[in-house]
Structure formats: C-alpha cells, structure tokens
C-alpha cells in the first residue's frame, strides 16, 4: 500500500473537460482526439492511485465518490477513443464496451460495469450518480465541463439532477393526461429509486417521489400520475 496521502487532484481533468465539452454538455471528439495526451495522462494518474490503493488520500466518502465519478467518465472517453470513430458504444469491435476490464484504478483492473454497479451503486446508496456519469450516449446526462470535486459534491449532484430533469426530453409532466414522461434511466435502475424489493407500484411511487424532490413539483399533485419511460438514445 502506498504511503502517499497527498490529496488526489482533478485540475488537469477539469482543464481538459473545459476544452472538449460543448455548451449543451456534449463531447467534441475531434478536439478530444487532438488532446489525447492530456486524457492519457489523467487515466495514468487514475491507474496509479485510487481509494483502494491509497485510502489515506481519500479519507471521506465524498473523496471516494468524487474519484469514482471522475474515473468512470474519463475511462468512458478513453474507451470511446480506442474505438473511434463509432456511432454507438454498442458498435465496438467486441461488443464488450462496458464489460471489458481495459482500465486500471490504483493498480486494479476495472470495467465500466465494475465501477457503476459494484462500486458506485454498491457502496454509496446515492441514486443521483445516474445524473453524473456519462456512458458516451445521447440518452446519458450531459457531460459536466469540469471535474467532480469532493467539497460540496452532494450539492453538485443535486444540481446535475435538476439540470437533467429540467429538460423536457428527460422529464415532462402532462397534467391533462396525468402522466409523467421520464428518461428510461429510471426504469433501468428502478431499485435505486424505490428499493430492491419494490413492486411496479413502488417503483412508480419512487420515481414520482424523486421527481417531486428535484423539480419543485408538489408530490401530492402527481402522486397518482402514470409514469411513461422514454426510449433511450444509444447514439454517440
């Protein structure tokens, strides 16, 4: 185990994101290709240190959460570049975009699925991670133009969630039809919003409760609304 307890820094990652993320939260892959060395350097820093290999450098849960959110997004961009140009993350050479353990975090080989399901979903009980990690698809939340920092990260996650739900493509309340049209993310990860033992009705209630908490809409106003899940866009 390393004795290096110096805080992990995200300055270089933030600087790169500021250059490659567009105003609407998309990635300019042409610019990223030209700055490949900067991404490689940050991926190398992630490979060298992690909360598992250097726990003293990540003393709080928020330190660890920030690391894994940034790692997921950086590894996703790195994996896309390895296959670029592609039209979708499902159009990769081996079809194992999320399953292949192609990256290292603190010396441990990890896949994107490992980070999302085992680490982020398994360790943090924070459903708002789904509005912070970007899987390289149009249906994902917009990419943040700067790194996630430990300080104030829960407020950052709330802001990211509110931004996501503020788009009618991701959340639209049709009062006339008494329906809420919502991103399919809420169906894909229903248990994160309503609990692992949830029934269909409990999932619906969990989604509506979450929407009310993050949009300012009164919970009672939409309590009996139907939830309709939108089609997910996997285009790059």
């Amino acid at each position: 185990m390393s004795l290096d307890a110096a805080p992990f820094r995200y300055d270089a990652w933030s600087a790169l994101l500021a250059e490659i993320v567009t105003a609407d939260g998309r990635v300019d892959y042409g610019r990223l290709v030209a700055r490949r060395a900067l991404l490689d350097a940050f991926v190398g820093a992630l490979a060298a240190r992690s909360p598992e290999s250097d726990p003293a450098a990540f003393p709080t849960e928020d330190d660890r959460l920030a690391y894994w959110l940034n790692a997921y997004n950086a590894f996703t961009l790195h994996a896309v570049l390895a296959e670029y140009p592609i039209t979708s993350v499902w159009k990769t050479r081996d079809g194992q975009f999320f399953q292949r353990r192609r990256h290292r975090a603190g010396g441990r080989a990890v896949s994107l699925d490992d980070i999302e399901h085992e680490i982020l979903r398994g360790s943090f009980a924070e459903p708002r991670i789904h509005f912070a990690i970007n899987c390289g698809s149009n249906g994902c939340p917009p990419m943040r133009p700067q790194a996630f920092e430990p300080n104030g990260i829960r407020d950052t996650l709330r802001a990211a969630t509110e931004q996501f739900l503020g788009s009618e493509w991701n959340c639209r309340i049709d009062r006339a039809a008494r329906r809420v049209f919502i991103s399919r993310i809420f169906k894909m990860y229903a248990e994160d919003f309503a609990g692992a033992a949830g029934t269909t009705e409990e999932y619906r209630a969990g989604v509506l409760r979450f929407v009310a908490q993050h949009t300012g809409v009164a919970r009672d106003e939409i309590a009996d609304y139907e939830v309709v899940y939108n089609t997910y866009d996997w285009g790059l």
Side-chain angles (χ1 to χ4, degrees), residues 86-101:
I86 53 175
T87 58
S88 168
V89 293
W90 292 113
K91 302 293 186 181
T92 55
R93 286 186 292 271
D94 65 0
Q96 298 292 306
F97 185 83
F98 297 104
Q99 295 80 29
R100 190 196 310 169
R101 292 190 171 98

Side-chain angles (χ1 to χ4, degrees), residues 1-229:
M1 180 182 297
S2 168
L3 298 179
D4 184 3
F8 194 93
R9 301 296 298 269
Y10 302 101
D11 306 57
W13 176 227
S14 275
L16 176 60
L17 289 170
E19 289 196 57
I20 65 168
V21 177
T22 66
D24 59 355
R26 298 169 68 86
V27 174
D28 184 333
Y29 284 100
R31 292 177 68 87
L32 180 58
V33 167
R35 291 154 180 77
R36 174 69 180 264
L38 299 177
L39 178 59
D40 288 344
F42 182 62
V43 168
L46 294 167
R49 303 173 66 198
S50 77
E52 295 174 352
S53 68
D54 289 286
F58 303 88
T60 71
E61 181 173 275
D62 287 354
D63 286 309
R64 297 186 288 275
L65 179 57
Y67 176 93
W68 290 114
L69 291 175
N70 288 310
Y72 185 97
N73 288 341
F75 289 160
T76 295
L77 293 185
H78 202 253
V80 169
L81 284 195
E83 308 271 357
Y84 195 76
I86 53 175
T87 58
S88 168
V89 293
W90 292 113
K91 302 293 186 181
T92 55
R93 286 186 292 271
D94 65 0
Q96 298 292 306
F97 185 83
F98 297 104
Q99 295 80 29
R100 190 196 310 169
R101 292 190 171 98
R102 73 179 89 203
H103 292 109
R104 304 192 78 81
R108 173 191 171 188
V110 292
S111 68
L112 293 172
D113 273 357
D114 290 335
I115 297 175
E116 180 178 9
H117 302 301
E118 174 193 335
I119 299 172
L120 286 171
R121 298 180 66 210
S123 301
F124 293 99
E126 173 56 91
R128 294 175 297 188
I129 64 159
H130 295 297
F131 312 106
I133 58 176
N134 186 291
C135 69
S137 302
N138 290 322
C140 291
M143 181 72 85
R144 192 166 185 262
Q146 62 194 94
F148 290 96
E149 296 284 354
N151 186 34
I153 195 168
R154 306 295 171 162
D155 290 336
T156 303
L157 288 176
R158 182 175 185 89
T161 302
E162 291 173 353
Q163 178 187 8
F164 183 81
L165 294 177
S167 166
E168 281 203 348
W169 177 258
N170 299 317
C171 179
R172 180 171 63 87
I173 299 174
D174 186 334
R175 289 175 172 82
R178 306 187 70 79
R179 290 176 174 173
V180 174
F181 295 85
I182 197 84
S183 166
R184 205 165 191 82
I185 286 174
F186 285 89
K187 184 176 180 65
M188 294 159 64
Y189 303 104
E191 63 270 26
D192 293 2
F193 300 97
T199 62
T200 299
E201 173 57 26
E202 287 170 328
Y203 288 153
R204 184 190 69 84
V207 168
L208 294 175
R209 181 171 59 249
F210 189 91
V211 168
Q213 289 171 346
H214 293 87
T215 62
V217 175
R219 172 71 179 88
D220 291 346
E221 179 186 343
I222 59 174
D224 63 346
Y225 280 23
E226 178 186 358
V227 173
V228 180
Y229 300 102

